[in-house]
Amino acid sequence: MAEIGSHIATAAKLLRQGKVVAIPTETVYGLAGNALSARAVAQIYLVKNRPAFNPLIMHTNALDRLLPYVKNVPEVAYHLAQAFWPGPLTLLLEKTGRVPDMVTAGSARVAVRIPRHPLALQLLSELDFPLTAPSANPSGYVSPTTAAHVAEQLGSKIPYVLDGGPCAVGVESTIAGFENGRVVVYRWGGVTQEELQQCVGAGVPVVFHSTEAATPAPGMLASHYAPRQPVVIGNLADLLDRYPAEQVGLLSFRDTYSAVAEAHQVALSPAGDLLEAAQRVFGALRYLEKQPVAYILAEMVPDEGIGRAINDRLRRAAAD
Ligand code: TXA
Ligand code: MG
């Protein structure tokens, strides 16, 4: 079983040996390995049971340490990096030959980010290689936002979980690329559309990558973040007319419902705070999954700011 602890030296030692360990970031916990070690990268795919076509994000602690791995970086990417790193933004940039093809699943672009969690930054600064890290959950399942979440599912497959407490953001990073003078967002996350647009200015459009487009977005698989039970999204009062109250778990934004047992419902933020809702959404799905209910009924949150990322995760949890 994985040891859970907060010793950076232990994590660093294992990573130098080519082992895979879970690390905290401000978004979600990552399953980290030496990005330059074929053995470590292969082990990440194996532990997650991740399809080989789904590429990984490379993490460092400083921009100058990323530069050997990327080329033709557009000006606007530097602006975004300066504004949001360290932080929950991942940039898709042209890769150099120093990035192993296994990290990018053969793509000419590599996803890079500098995380904001102090333990992650300290760990990265002590290593002389970048870390590649997908979310530390089995492929297709809910992402982990505590060390216990990681240990519960991957504990038997990895030696160490570096415990940095509950994740402050709670949903993954926003992923953005650069195409034809536009910023193209592949996944909404911790940095919002409003923040991106304000940073790049009105002259540069910020658009969402439509999944109907010719270029596939690897990993943007419709079904993801899926708990054990079917997740049904809608107006909760209407859904409660159609589903037996004793068989449902409720995931609401603010309200609780007297028809359903208290232990079977989670209100993400009674005060209506989207940041708090983002912190709690994955934990709430994990909690409800463990209750003796046959369905999880969920409602969308306001589709603004980080609410877009929350709604995206709920839609994917509900997709089949
Ligand atoms: O917040 C996060 O981004 C967390 C923490 C650990 O950093 N990581 C994370 O990784 O969410 P993962 O692997 O669970 O999600 C990364 C997404 C995947 O959907 C993957 O397909 C996409 O990023 N991605 C990675 N590299 C890519 C590339 N070269 N081109 C297109 N998409 C890429
Ligand atoms: Mg993931």
Side-chain angles (χ1 to χ4, degrees):
M1 271 312 266
E3 186 190 335
I4 302 182
S6 41
H7 296 110
I8 290 175
T10 306
K13 185 173 163 209
L14 290 162
L15 288 163
R16 287 190 197 102
Q17 292 169 353
K19 305 255 169 61
V20 163
V21 304
I23 63 163
T25 82
E26 78 283 24
T27 58
V28 301
Y29 276 72
L31 188 63
N34 178 351
L36 308 180
S37 154
R39 191 177 129 213
V41 177
Q43 182 67 8
I44 289 173
Y45 280 96
L46 193 71
V47 168
K48 262 190 81 91
N49 192 21
R50 183 172 176 112
F53 61 78
N54 195 359
L56 306 174
I57 299 174
M58 201 158 101
H59 302 69
T60 69
N61 63 306
L63 183 58
D64 62 335
R65 297 194 61 192
L66 268 180
L67 292 178
Y69 304 100
V70 296
K71 62 182 180 188
N72 303 327
V73 178
E75 192 76 5
V76 62
Y78 283 109
H79 289 156
L80 290 172
Q82 203 164 26
F84 298 107
W85 282 352
L89 179 66
T90 293
L91 300 180
L92 285 175
L93 298 170
E94 264 183 68
K95 80 176 195 80
T96 64
R98 296 176 68 167
V99 182
D101 284 334
M102 257 168 105
V103 170
T104 61
S107 165
R109 287 194 298 184
V110 61
V112 292
R113 124 173 158 90
I114 301 177
R116 192 166 61 205
H117 195 290
L119 287 190
L121 284 172
Q122 183 60 36
L123 174 65
L124 285 161
S125 74
E126 290 183 18
L127 298 171
D128 58 9
F129 46 82
L131 290 176
T132 192
S135 53
N137 51 277
S139 189
Y141 188 69
V142 183
S143 299
T145 51
T146 66
H149 290 167
V150 179
E152 214 170 79
Q153 287 182 306
L154 300 182
S156 63
K157 300 181 171 176
I158 57 176
Y160 197 65
V161 181
L162 184 62
D163 188 351
C167 299
V169 175
V171 293
E172 296 87 344
S173 59
T174 294
I175 301 178
F178 306 91
E179 291 153 40
N180 308 317
R182 303 180 310 173
V183 175
V184 181
V185 174
Y186 286 80
R187 173 176 78 183
W188 288 120
V191 172
T192 67
Q193 180 169 22
E194 295 81 352
E195 289 168 327
L196 286 181
Q197 190 67 69
Q198 183 175 3
C199 174
V200 299
V204 180
V206 176
V207 299
F208 188 72
H209 179 274
S210 106
T211 43
E212 290 83 50
T215 3
M220 307 298 140
L221 307 171
S223 175
H224 220 75
Y225 311 103
R228 179 170 67 85
Q229 300 92 336
V231 175
V232 184
I233 295 177
N235 175 291
L236 290 179
D238 293 347
L239 290 174
L240 280 170
D241 288 337
R242 291 174 29 214
Y243 290 81
E246 57 303 335
Q247 284 183 34
V248 304
L250 290 189
L251 183 60
S252 73
F253 179 38
R254 309 182 61 152
D255 302 327
T256 45
Y257 292 78
S258 55
V260 173
E262 232 173 277
H264 296 174
Q265 41 187 329
V266 179
L268 290 176
S269 175
D273 176 357
L274 286 171
L275 293 175
E276 182 185 28
Q279 277 172 354
R280 297 187 62 204
V281 65
F282 287 143
L285 283 167
R286 284 172 182 263
Y287 171 80
L288 291 171
E289 175 182 60
K290 290 189 179 138
Q291 306 311 310
V293 297
Y295 305 93
I296 295 173
L297 309 182
E299 70 179 349
M300 296 285 192
V301 304
D303 209 42
E304 64 197 31
I306 204 167
R308 266 189 215 93
I310 299 172
N311 288 339
D312 168 74
R313 305 309 186 268
L314 290 175
R315 273 192 293 272
R316 288 175 204 267
D320 44 33

